[in-house]
Amino acid sequence: MVDVIGGPSLPQERKLVTSIPGPKSQEITARKQAAVAAGVGASLPVSIVAAGGGVMVDVDGNSLIDLGSGIAVTGVGNSAPRVVEAVTAQVQQFTHTCFTVTPYEGYIAVAEKLNELTPGDHEKRSALFNSGAEAVENAIKIARHYTKKDAVVVFDHAYHGRTNLTMGMTAKNMPYKDGFGPFAPEVYRVPTSYPYRDGLTGAEAAEVAITQIEKQVGASNLAAIIIEPIQGEGGFIAPAEGFLPALQEWATANGVVFILDEVQTGFARTGDLFAANHEGVVPDLVTTAKGIAGGLPLSAVTGRAEIMDSAHAGGLGGTYAGSPIACAAALATIETYQSENLTERAREIGAIIEEFFGELAKGDDRIGDIRGRGAMQAIELVEPGSKTPNATLTGAIAKHAGEQGVVLLTCGTYGNVIRFLPPLSISDELLREGLQIVADALAAN
Ligand SMILES: Cc1ncc(COP(=O)(O)O)c(C=O)c1O
């Protein structure tokens, strides 16, 4: 599989020729500090020159194992051959017209694909944008326009982006919100389902959330409920079974638009094309981005035709929204997910990660929880014999992994979750080697 979707023919190996970061990366980091705003951080300050399959090669010649996919973006692998071919052909034809000035077929073909593939067989429409946050903003715009109501319900541990509205919808203060307010009004936060910490069934957790919505917001004021089917930045929190269907049912019964934010979970990542499918949940609107276009910036809102069509002509769009280059990449990416059966590959990857940490957890009670679906897995780290979040250990492991040539991401409201989002083009061998380095880091700390 790696040959088909692995991108540039890079040796699929971890190879360190300098310490990490190496001297050339350090030089570039010094330039970054002088030229780039300090608020734009870097988890692992190595400068990448090539990537494909399951590796990233840095400017010093180190080959690193990629367990992050640029935060769940390069599901098909970096520079996947179909994507490269489609993008190359597109840039040779035209690079931009602005779809809302003079349209082109690629945008429409992406909308058709999304309408066909997203959950539910009702009539749908799509609108394309550039980033996940932009898709979320537009989903809220559309829901408000359709319902003629203002309020929006979001959840504890939610992450929806960095624009003003989506910052307000995001739960975690540092680093996403601190000092960046005031935030947009009419956003209300309610408890989520966090089985490891709340011990509730899905139905019980939904009752808590719905009671709070009814008492503190009121369905008559509520335009939309928006939730990630597995919360990403908040800690890869998969809600207890029944939670999402109960919310959906309540929303439908109360004239509230039910929006799933599948920006991180979408496109094969969880072992199904969309995470909603695991419980047969059909949202009114779904937001997608990240894995949609093999690394090119593209996002979408897809949903019920009557809701999507309620906004007037000219009310939705943007100069670059649905760029022809990104659309060409998306069509090639979607074809790759389908023809390479990458949902199955995501499940295989998930099984390897779960088994690996399942074994390790037997002898290490700092691994409090192992959770996720498909190739979206996480371990939550705690103080021994308790559920007290252990952010120090989490940071130490990410640091150790980086120094050993593994790109590893953390997340979680309490900063104590290590998340695994490998490209679906990674080999079993590289994946296992990367996991072993995480195990070594645990043993060393
Ligand atoms: C669930 C979810 N929604 C929205 C966003 C924002 O996407 P973007 O960074 O492309 O604006 C993210 C990004 O991590 C996300 O995980």
Side-chain angles (χ1 to χ4, degrees), residues 72-91:
V73 170
T74 51
V76 289
N78 245 298
S79 297
R82 285 189 187 86
V83 175
V84 172
E85 200 184 317
V87 165
T88 306
Q90 180 58 49
V91 290

Side-chain angles (χ1 to χ4, degrees), residues 186-270:
E186 290 304 313
V187 175
Y188 299 88
R189 191 172 310 285
V190 303
T192 191
S193 164
Y194 192 160
Y196 175 62
R197 293 197 173 273
D198 66 24
L200 300 178
T201 65
E204 288 164 348
E207 199 186 325
V208 172
I210 288 167
T211 303
Q212 189 161 322
I213 294 169
E214 287 177 337
K215 299 296 170 206
Q216 297 187 12
V217 187
S220 58
N221 302 305
L222 185 57
I225 294 177
I226 179 164
I227 187 164
E228 302 149 83
I230 297 175
Q231 291 182 310
E233 308 299 302
F236 279 31
I237 305 164
E241 203 181 321
F243 182 69
L244 295 174
L247 292 180
Q248 180 204 10
E249 210 174 292
W250 182 87
T252 305
N254 287 277
V256 172
V257 177
F258 185 66
I259 307 172
L260 283 183
D261 181 351
E262 290 243 22
V263 164
Q264 191 156 162
T265 50
F267 295 100
R269 176 57 54 190
T270 65

Side-chain angles (χ1 to χ4, degrees), residues 78-149:
N78 245 298
S79 297
R82 285 189 187 86
V83 175
V84 172
E85 200 184 317
V87 165
T88 306
Q90 180 58 49
V91 290
Q92 284 168 346
Q93 292 304 312
F94 67 96
T95 50
H96 177 78
T97 67
C98 187
F99 185 78
T100 52
V101 177
T102 47
Y104 36 86
E105 196 245 339
Y107 184 120
I108 297 158
V110 172
E112 286 167 348
K113 275 276 170 214
L114 288 169
N115 297 348
E116 175 197 330
L117 296 173
T118 50
D121 51 13
H122 47 276
E123 193 179 343
K124 295 179 204 147
R125 303 279 186 271
S126 288
L128 306 185
F129 304 97
N130 300 289
S131 68
E134 208 185 338
V136 170
E137 289 249 0
N138 277 279
I140 302 299
K141 268 172 71 172
I142 294 165
R144 283 177 167 158
H145 201 276
Y146 174 73
T147 58
K148 311 219 175 341
K149 298 189 274 185

Side-chain angles (χ1 to χ4, degrees), residues 154-422:
V154 295
F155 289 80
D156 285 340
H157 310 289
Y159 182 86
H160 296 290
R162 287 182 151 101
T163 58
N164 184 268
L165 175 60
T166 58
M167 262 194 299
M169 296 166 66
T170 289
K172 192 173 176 177
N173 180 48
M174 266 310 258
Y176 306 122
K177 303 168 74 164
D178 196 62
F180 295 136
F183 303 115
E186 290 304 313
V187 175
Y188 299 88
R189 191 172 310 285
V190 303
T192 191
S193 164
Y194 192 160
Y196 175 62
R197 293 197 173 273
D198 66 24
L200 300 178
T201 65
E204 288 164 348
E207 199 186 325
V208 172
I210 288 167
T211 303
Q212 189 161 322
I213 294 169
E214 287 177 337
K215 299 296 170 206
Q216 297 187 12
V217 187
S220 58
N221 302 305
L222 185 57
I225 294 177
I226 179 164
I227 187 164
E228 302 149 83
I230 297 175
Q231 291 182 310
E233 308 299 302
F236 279 31
I237 305 164
E241 203 181 321
F243 182 69
L244 295 174
L247 292 180
Q248 180 204 10
E249 210 174 292
W250 182 87
T252 305
N254 287 277
V256 172
V257 177
F258 185 66
I259 307 172
L260 283 183
D261 181 351
E262 290 243 22
V263 164
Q264 191 156 162
T265 50
F267 295 100
R269 176 57 54 190
T270 65
D272 202 312
L273 208 48
F274 296 97
N277 294 341
H278 294 291
E279 280 197 80
V281 176
V282 178
D284 297 312
L285 304 180
V286 59
T287 54
T288 53
K290 290 189 183 282
I292 191 174
L296 276 87
L298 188 73
S299 66
V301 183
T302 301
R304 294 187 187 281
E306 66 274 21
I307 302 177
M308 294 295 296
D309 280 342
S310 75
H312 46 268
L316 306 176
T319 304
Y320 299 108
S323 135
I325 305 167
C327 286
L331 293 171
T333 299
I334 292 168
E335 191 194 328
T336 304
Y337 284 127
Q338 293 183 313
S339 59
E340 305 304 325
N341 197 10
L342 290 186
T343 50
E344 174 61 28
R345 180 64 189 144
R347 287 195 288 272
E348 286 168 9
I349 287 173
I352 291 172
I353 299 172
E354 273 175 20
E355 193 197 335
F356 186 90
F357 286 108
E359 278 302 311
L360 208 62
K362 287 181 190 161
D364 191 339
D365 63 359
R366 296 171 304 169
I367 302 177
D369 197 19
I370 305 163
R371 58 176 179 251
R373 280 190 194 274
M376 181 173 185
Q377 295 284 337
I379 54 175
E380 175 157 359
L381 299 176
V382 291
E383 303 288 348
S386 78
K387 287 192 176 179
T388 307
N390 197 337
T392 310
L393 176 63
T394 308
I397 286 168
K399 183 167 178 291
H400 176 108
E403 288 164 356
Q404 294 302 312
V406 177
V407 181
L408 187 70
L409 304 176
T410 61
C411 65
T413 301
Y414 313 113
N416 67 325
V417 177
I418 292 181
R419 56 172 154 174
F420 301 94
L421 291 165

